[in-house]
């Protein structure tokens, strides 16, 4: 059964992402969130980004993979630059970054514990991770997988693969950028 996702901005006194788009509602108008990424010409790595998400909450490897994917994709769409250099592949269970998967593979389906240390995590990663988490964090890894399976970048990368077939094709950054930019225009 397909899950329908509706525009639903989170409530509160801070600018937050709505469910799909990094936009905030201020004064009844939608506004794109703006961040200053110092040193963005040299993105930090996937492991620092994952750690940023793990400072927010414990989660499964699958959920962590999808949150990191959405952070990369939305950053490309919003700022036309990479948040991280590592590429995601179109695996059976959605977008996966292989090195990150291997690091947390020993957890299996169990939750990875929350991290208390912010050492080694750029402040900008922490801020952007919080924004992505405010939009997607209420979903489980399985729900994020289903959502990912409905989106063009993953579908295009899978090509003619059957749903159960292994695939290591990288998800195109251009496909991510254009797809999520279209999402911004819709909402």
């Amino acid at each position: 059964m397909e899950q329908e996702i509706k525009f639903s901005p989170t409530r509160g006194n801070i600018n937050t992402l709505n469910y799909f788009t990094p936009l905030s509602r201020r004064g009844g108008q939608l506004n794109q969130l703006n961040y200053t990424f110092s040193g963005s010409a040299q993105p930090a790595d996937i492991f620092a980004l994952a750690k940023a998400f793990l400072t927010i909450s414990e989660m499964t490897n699958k959920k962590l993979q999808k949150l990191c994917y959405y952070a990369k994709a939305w950053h490309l769409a919003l700022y036309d630059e990479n948040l991280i250099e590592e590429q995601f592949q179109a695996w059976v269970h959605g977008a996966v970054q292989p090195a990150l998967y291997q690091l947390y593979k020993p957890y299996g389906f169990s939750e990875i514990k929350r991290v208390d240390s912010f050492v080694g995590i750029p402040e900008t990663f922490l801020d952007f991770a919080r924004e992505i988490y405010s939009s997607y964090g209420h979903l489980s890894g399985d729900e994020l997988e289903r959502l990912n399976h409905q989106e063009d970048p993953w579908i295009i990368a899978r090509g003619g693969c059957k749903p159960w077939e292994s695939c290591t094709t990288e998800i195109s950054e251009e496909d991510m950028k254009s797809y999520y930019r279209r999402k911004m225009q819709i909402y």
Side-chain angles (χ1 to χ4, degrees):
M1 179 174 159
E2 266 185 36
Q3 179 179 5
E4 183 178 337
I5 308 301
K6 297 184 184 288
F7 172 79
S8 174
T10 57
R11 301 195 191 285
N13 60 5
I14 60 170
N15 292 334
T16 56
L17 302 175
N18 70 42
Y19 192 74
F20 277 119
T21 58
L23 302 173
S24 66
R25 187 171 291 280
R26 185 184 298 161
Q29 293 184 333
L30 289 175
N31 301 297
Q32 182 173 321
L33 294 172
N34 291 309
Y35 294 95
T36 303
F37 283 83
S38 60
S40 60
Q42 293 292 332
D45 65 20
I46 185 73
F47 305 107
L49 181 59
K51 189 175 176 185
F53 281 111
L54 290 170
T55 65
I56 300 168
S57 177
E58 62 181 30
M59 63 191 73
T60 63
N61 192 356
K62 185 187 285 188
K63 182 171 182 169
L64 182 61
Q65 291 286 335
K66 304 312 172 269
L67 291 174
C68 288
Y69 167 79
Y70 284 118
K72 178 181 177 88
W74 278 114
H75 196 273
L76 282 165
L78 288 167
Y79 304 108
D80 202 26
E81 63 182 26
N82 248 323
L83 182 62
I84 54 170
E85 293 178 355
E86 292 85 357
Q87 301 298 311
F88 283 81
Q89 297 178 353
W91 288 19
V92 169
H93 295 288
V96 172
Q97 203 299 309
L100 184 64
Y101 172 79
Q102 290 302 322
L103 179 65
Y104 292 109
K105 183 179 178 179
Y107 285 87
F109 296 108
S110 300
E111 296 211 333
I112 303 161
K113 298 293 180 213
R114 189 173 174 276
V115 174
D116 293 324
S117 171
F118 297 96
V119 174
I121 308 172
E123 185 64 35
T124 53
F125 273 35
L126 293 166
D127 292 340
F128 204 69
R130 286 182 197 112
E131 295 298 333
I132 294 296
Y133 194 86
S134 71
S135 292
Y136 295 98
H138 66 285
L139 298 173
S140 70
D142 290 337
E143 291 168 323
L144 288 168
E145 174 186 342
R146 282 192 294 278
L147 180 62
N148 195 223
H149 283 191
Q150 297 170 27
E151 298 174 332
D152 289 349
W154 181 84
I155 293 168
I156 292 167
R158 293 283 298 171
C161 290
K162 304 282 186 216
W164 60 87
E165 287 180 325
S166 177
C167 176
T168 58
T169 304
E170 288 184 355
I171 298 173
S172 161
E173 291 178 354
E174 282 302 315
D175 289 344
M176 288 183 215
K177 191 185 322 181
S178 64
Y179 179 79
Y180 294 100
R181 281 184 177 167
R182 285 193 311 269
K183 285 285 191 191
M184 285 189 288
Q185 293 170 357
I186 293 171
Y187 297 100

